[in-house]
């Protein structure tokens, strides 16, 4: 996965998306993910 993040400019695209949202007044909500012990069963 690491190489694909670099090859596809993922970080820059995220920066662009957040900047566009801010510039247009859209709210951005980050949902934290948590791995529950039962998720693997």
């Amino acid at each position: 996965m690491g190489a694909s993040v670099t090859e596809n400019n993922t970080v820059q695209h995220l920066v662009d998306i957040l900047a566009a949202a801010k510039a247009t007044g859209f709210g951005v909500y980050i949902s934290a993910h948590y791995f529950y012990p039962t998720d693997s069963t």
Side-chain angles (χ1 to χ4, degrees):
M1 184 172 125
S4 105
V5 170
T6 303
E7 292 167 4
N8 293 303
N9 298 315
T10 301
V11 173
Q12 186 58 53
H13 289 302
L14 289 171
V15 169
D16 294 343
I17 289 168
L18 292 173
K22 184 176 182 180
T24 57
F26 278 91
V28 175
Y29 304 90
I30 308 293
S31 175
H33 290 78
Y34 177 77
F35 181 78
Y36 290 95
T38 57
D39 285 349
S40 62
T41 60

